[in-house]
Amino acid sequence: MVPSNRDQRWPNYEKRKAGLLVLLFTHAAYAIGATGAEASGFIAIPLVKTYNLKEPDFDPPNSLFVNGGALYGESQPDTSKLLHALNLDIEWDDYGYLATIQIGTPPRDFKLLVDSGSADLWVPGEGCQAGDGSGDCGNHTLLGPTFSSSFRHSGEFWMVKYGSGPVAGHIVSDHVTVAGLTLKSHRFALALRESKHYTLNRTLYDGIMGLARTVGWNHNLPSLVESLHGAGLIKRPIVSYRIPRAADGRSDGELAFGGMNPAKYKAASVVTLKNIGPIRFWEARMDSIVINGITLRIGRRSAILDSGTTFILGPRKDVALLHTAIPGSRFSDGLWYIPCHTEVVLSLSFGGRAFPIQPRDLRATPLNKDDPNAECKSRIGEMRGRGGSQWIVGDVFLKNVYFSTNLEKNEISLAELA
Ligand SMILES: *[C@@H]1O[C@H](CO)[C@@H](O)[C@H](O)[C@H]1NC(C)=O
Ligand SMILES: *[C@@H]1O[C@H](CO)[C@@H](O)[C@H](O)[C@H]1NC(C)=O
């Protein structure tokens, strides 16, 4: 998720009313192309964990495709190994990707949304409340002194605001185990107020694992990969993503720490890109967009590669140009529609290599449930509130490639999947 970049203040706990207002506006930003958010003067980085694309009869997602594959380092951590990996579970229809880590003494499982677009790790704390006063933080695993004897509270305030709303609490420390590697007294955040989105029982993750660069974020919390590297548990501060697709029905999703997993990508296809984002993000120069072999004239563009964003979001002009090149596309009421059975081949080019997106990844829900073969909402949408040359490239693209970030070199690698 790419947090809002304008208003970083959050209502403290006393100013609950103001908080509610903010929450309402942020939720407006859920809908791709929604207007209210812009008018409010509040950021509209349209979203991210998009449960509600203006769909009144939308079934709430509550299915989880559990990745059962046996992987590295689960039971016998061997720190001489280069790679230590976690399975990635799929939230609903590829809306998000979840990894399970252990926190506390005794260690308990926490399911976290894997987010290369933010930097903080947080889990809900004992006493956590919904920011709108509607109740507790739902059916999620909580952390606190009752559950963990190694839990330590710093009392320091913490807050981050995502497209789907703010989360606030305190900075704490506890033992954290990732793919069998244990960090003693890792510093992270404990959420005590969450926007409604995160408290829902149907939200299948407890908290968020931010894997962006930590420079430029407010609280200077070390990311998991920084701590693992600093503690000598991984040799290189690299995180690699094999983002899976629910429709494939395979357990091939993986989040690897320490390197790239040679079993998951074609070695000859790797392109390595300089991170051009000055702070915060994994951002690469995007050479071009190619549709059915034709290169669109969009000029100099960059892409924030964000596993925590479901869709692909771009400047309005680019998004319009792109859809216009898709046969049968249509724009209506702020949204783009494409034929559900489009066979269009759309590629994003990085480092001189075009990476195609499977046509089925481009479509979201059918417009008309009674005619699911007709028009579908596009999974490429307009973004507001950021410069006209920046894209946020989420899972719609990332599940078509192998994606890796290297903190030490400040580089991003992309490769074709094996
Ligand atoms: C959420 O789950 C908890 C525990 O299972 C349950 O007590 C609570 O009523 C649920 N909340 C809603 C709104 O369904
Ligand atoms: C609460 O969470 C547990 C474990 O994730 C799940 O099995 C159960 O169905 C959930 N209950 C509700 C009411 O969502």
Side-chain angles (χ1 to χ4, degrees):
M1 301 197 205
V2 172
S4 4
N5 59 349
R6 247 184 267 170
D7 183 0
Q8 283 303 324
R9 282 171 299 124
W10 200 40
N12 54 36
Y13 300 155
E14 287 67 51
K15 284 199 229 143
R16 202 88 74 71
K17 274 231 169 77
L20 182 57
L21 204 64
V22 168
L23 290 180
L24 291 173
F25 285 137
T26 350
H27 274 88
Y30 265 132
I32 286 191
T35 47
E38 196 166 60
S40 75
F42 193 77
I43 337 47
I45 304 308
L47 229 274
V48 184
K49 298 304 303 161
T50 342
Y51 289 131
N52 37 357
L53 277 178
K54 281 194 202 160
E55 299 181 79
D57 57 350
F58 189 66
D59 295 329
N62 56 6
S63 66
L64 186 63
F65 182 87
V66 176
N67 185 337
L71 281 168
Y72 318 81
E74 293 276 342
S75 49
Q76 288 190 318
D78 172 0
T79 51
S80 67
K81 281 194 305 199
L82 287 178
L83 277 186
H84 299 271
L86 294 171
N87 294 316
L88 284 179
D89 295 335
I90 306 171
E91 186 188 21
W92 195 55
D93 183 21
D94 298 349
Y95 271 60
Y97 296 92
L98 278 47
T100 303
I101 66 171
Q102 292 72 40
I103 305 178
T105 310
R108 289 154 70 241
D109 280 356
F110 286 81
K111 267 196 196 312
L112 303 181
L113 182 84
V114 170
D115 187 14
S116 65
S118 69
D120 291 353
L121 187 162
W122 63 265
V123 296
E126 285 179 60
C128 180
Q129 296 286 315
D132 65 357
S134 64
D136 64 19
C137 288
N139 184 23
H140 293 116
T141 305
L142 306 176
L143 182 68
T146 308
F147 299 107
S148 170
S149 62
S150 46
F151 176 85
R152 298 287 178 272
H153 215 281
S154 76
E156 238 179 289
F157 181 79
W158 167 87
M159 199 256 324
V160 65
K161 196 182 304 172
Y162 304 100
S164 33
V167 179
H170 290 130
I171 292 169
V172 299
S173 72
D174 206 336
H175 305 335
V176 173
T177 300
V178 185
L181 305 172
T182 299
L183 293 165
K184 296 281 182 200
S185 305
H186 181 65
R187 264 160 47 85
F188 56 96
L190 191 77
L192 297 171
R193 293 290 182 281
E194 294 178 2
S195 58
K196 182 91 179 252
H197 172 80
Y198 302 103
T199 67
L200 300 172
N201 280 355
R202 68 170 193 257
T203 295
L204 297 169
Y205 51 88
D206 303 309
I208 291 181
M209 180 197 295
L211 295 167
R213 294 162 71 213
T214 53
V215 53
W217 299 85
N218 288 340
H219 302 285
N220 290 315
L221 291 172
S223 70
L224 278 182
V225 66
E226 279 174 343
S227 286
L228 289 168
H229 186 239
L233 295 171
I234 53 175
K235 289 202 171 64
R236 291 175 296 166
I238 293 175
V239 183
S240 303
Y241 305 72
R242 167 56 170 108
I243 302 280
R245 185 185 286 109
D248 289 341
R250 288 194 296 265
S251 297
D252 55 359
E254 177 186 280
L255 180 68
F257 293 88
M260 292 169 70
N261 182 348
K264 299 282 188 188
Y265 65 94
K266 293 183 186 147
S269 70
V270 178
V271 296
T272 297
L273 310 159
K274 207 164 92 68
N275 181 15
I276 60 167
I279 54 168
R280 290 181 153 205
F281 301 119
W282 294 110
E283 184 173 0
R285 178 75 55 218
M286 184 161 75
D287 306 335
S288 60
I289 296 174
V290 184
I291 295 189
N292 288 340
I294 296 163
T295 301
L296 300 183
R297 294 175 182 280
I298 54 166
R300 217 172 155 75
R301 296 290 181 263
S302 71
I304 292 173
L305 298 162
D306 182 8
S307 67
T309 288
T310 305
F311 297 155
I312 295 177
L313 305 170
R316 173 179 298 177
K317 231 175 75 211
D318 293 2
V319 169
L321 190 66
L322 176 159
H323 282 98
T324 308
I326 299 178
S329 71
R330 183 171 69 84
F331 183 75
S332 168
D333 197 18
L335 292 175
W336 280 97
Y337 298 89
I338 55 175
C340 293
H341 292 299
T342 183
E343 291 298 326
V344 72
V345 178
L346 194 158
S347 307
L348 304 184
S349 290
F350 293 94
R353 179 177 289 269
F355 292 95
I357 299 170
Q358 292 196 15
R360 59 179 168 159
D361 294 333
L362 297 173
R363 58 172 192 259
T365 30
L367 180 60
N368 179 354
K369 271 189 166 170
D370 300 326
D371 187 7
N373 296 325
E375 285 185 305
C376 281
K377 286 181 184 168
S378 171
R379 283 192 156 184
I380 300 181
E382 291 175 356
M383 173 172 60
R384 303 228 178 88
R386 276 184 194 260
S389 64
Q390 202 173 35
W391 285 70
I392 298 178
V393 171
D395 301 317
V396 166
F397 175 72
L398 293 175
K399 60 193 167 188
N400 289 279
V401 296
Y402 193 75
F403 165 49
S404 179
T405 62
N406 184 330
L407 264 183
E408 209 163 46
K409 296 190 167 169
N410 199 23
E411 282 173 354
I412 298 160
S413 293
L414 294 174
E416 286 170 18
L417 291 169

